[in-house]
Amino acid sequence: MKLCALSFAILLVFAGTAAASAQEFHVFGGWLQNTGDHDQTYTYQFEYRQRFHDNFAFSLTYLNEGAFTEHSRDGHGAQLWAGANLLDRRLSLAFGVGPYFYYDTIPYSSSGFSLNDHGWGALLSLDATWYTRSRWLFLLRTNWVATGNSIDTISASFGIGYRFDEPATPKPGGEPALPREPAPRNELTLYIAQTSVHNKGPAHSIGAGLEYRRRLLRYLDVTAGCVYEGESDLIERYGLNVQLWLAGSFLDDRLSLGFGAGPYFAIDRHRTEEGRDHKVALLKNVSMSGAYRFSPHWGVRFNWIRVITNYERDADVWMLGTSYFF
């Protein structure tokens, strides 16, 4: 449970300290190299960054490190950034560092299945960001991932970003803008899902889910829900999960993005142990989510759950649902 405990601590600290300054979302794609044998592959990355000072920021990221012959690795990270603004604040140069929790699928020939290897590493980054006069921005990024028990990698990528927050603009004549009606604090979502297990064999299945979400603080949500991951040759798994989320609302509270983590109490009927055909397992979830509210009470939500197991059945659960806000 170390992953969940550390994630909860990070979410709580930054939910209480995040300032309503520049909030950005970045998408990267590029090239990556194993520093050991110099094998090369692709890389892509999704990142949310929030400034809490003119020269300092915090980010949450998903990094996919491509597919080598012996490794297929991705992971989640959190970084603190320090930088400098140049050329009338159009150019920003920054250095980021933080923990990286990785998921590595590697061959495991003795059983015919793959091994889901998990571990901690360090994510160090350098980037240059060019701010246009609109909300769009462009980035050049290099990442270095260092681990103690897995491969080390270095990458170079190009990114496109979007700024959600701009300085508040008063009404003509100096009148302040009228306050907006508070967004609903509760959300109920019914999902349809597709599950992909990180192992060999027919690994895809269709599932479903139901989730209740409650806004606790401006940047902090909590969810409780049930998930059915479907049935394939590798799993028939379902259970209850609880997650704590670092989440932000944008575009007049119509759009929300979040990063969550928490425990998952699951039953897998394909798992056998001590003569029983199934058992309850305490697993872990790390998730990314986005919702768009197109009316006062209705919207859509996309949820991507990474299920972390201890028996080589890690999975991605891709969920799309209809949400009711109240």
Side-chain angles (χ1 to χ4, degrees):
M1 297 302 293
K2 292 181 180 179
L3 170 64
C4 293
L6 181 59
S7 300
F8 287 170
I10 292 173
L11 298 183
L12 285 171
V13 168
F14 283 92
T17 61
S21 53
Q23 299 167 322
E24 303 169 3
F25 184 76
H26 309 147
V27 179
F28 295 90
W31 159 90
L32 179 138
Q33 179 175 279
N34 181 340
T35 60
D37 59 14
H38 304 292
D39 196 8
Q40 298 178 7
T41 185
Y42 62 89
T43 181
Y44 61 88
Q45 181 177 358
F46 305 105
E47 178 183 79
Y48 170 79
R49 186 186 295 188
Q50 167 116 30
R51 292 185 183 273
F52 56 88
H53 185 273
D54 195 38
N55 296 312
F56 298 97
F58 167 73
S59 68
L60 295 170
T61 191
Y62 167 76
L63 175 64
N64 189 298
E65 298 182 76
F68 296 109
T69 303
E70 299 293 326
H71 298 270
S72 180
R73 194 172 75 180
D74 61 353
H76 291 93
Q79 291 179 287
L80 288 174
W81 292 84
N85 300 310
L86 308 171
L87 302 180
D88 196 25
R89 305 178 64 84
R90 300 292 298 278
L91 176 66
S92 175
L93 304 178
F95 168 76
V97 61
Y100 177 66
F101 188 80
Y102 63 82
Y103 322 91
D104 193 4
T105 302
I106 58 179
Y108 194 45
S109 57
S110 63
S111 68
F113 291 101
S114 298
L115 175 67
N116 296 149
D117 182 35
H118 311 130
W120 288 97
L123 176 60
L124 296 91
S125 305
L126 290 171
D127 79 12
T129 305
W130 180 258
Y131 289 90
T132 68
R133 299 197 182 279
S134 68
R135 292 175 181 253
W136 295 98
L137 51 99
F138 301 96
L139 306 96
L140 292 175
R141 165 75 57 85
T142 180
N143 291 322
W144 178 44
V145 175
T147 69
N149 299 308
S150 183
I151 59 173
D152 296 341
T153 63
I154 189 168
S155 64
S157 57
F158 171 77
I160 299 176
Y162 185 82
R163 293 187 67 184
F164 291 105
D165 290 356
E166 293 287 353
T169 303
K171 281 188 168 184
E175 298 179 13
L178 295 175
R180 297 194 308 267
E181 182 180 348
R185 298 176 65 89
N186 301 284
E187 178 184 345
L188 188 65
T189 306
L190 179 64
Y191 292 104
I192 186 171
Q194 177 174 298
T195 300
S196 177
V197 181
H198 297 190
N199 221 305
K200 296 180 180 178
H204 299 280
S205 56
I206 300 298
L210 180 66
E211 178 186 81
Y212 169 72
R213 179 179 296 262
R214 169 74 176 180
R215 174 61 52 89
L216 299 178
L217 300 170
R218 181 175 182 180
Y219 296 105
L220 189 67
D221 291 358
V222 64
T223 58
C226 54
V227 178
Y228 173 63
E229 298 181 53
E231 182 180 6
S232 68
D233 286 358
L234 297 175
I235 64 166
E236 184 185 357
R237 193 163 56 200
Y238 53 89
L240 303 174
N241 63 3
V242 178
Q243 292 183 286
L244 196 63
W245 294 79
L246 181 61
S249 296
F250 316 99
L251 306 180
D252 295 331
D253 292 326
R254 288 175 294 158
L255 175 69
S256 65
L257 300 173
F259 179 95
Y264 177 32
F265 303 90
I267 294 174
D268 188 348
R269 292 186 178 274
H270 284 4
R271 183 182 183 189
T272 60
E273 184 173 281
E274 299 177 357
R276 293 177 291 177
D277 63 348
H278 63 276
K279 65 168 289 186
V280 177
L282 178 58
L283 309 180
K284 296 179 279 290
N285 281 342
V286 179
S287 304
M288 299 175 68
S289 186
Y292 185 80
R293 187 162 57 97
F294 51 79
S295 78
H297 294 290
W298 293 98
V300 294
R301 178 172 287 278
F302 173 75
N303 203 4
W304 171 19
I305 299 177
R306 171 62 56 85
V307 179
I308 306 169
T309 73
N310 56 7
Y311 62 103
E312 322 310 337
R313 294 297 185 273
D314 286 11
D316 285 318
V317 186
W318 308 87
M319 311 179 77
L320 181 64
T322 301
S323 297
Y324 178 73
F325 298 85
F326 57 101

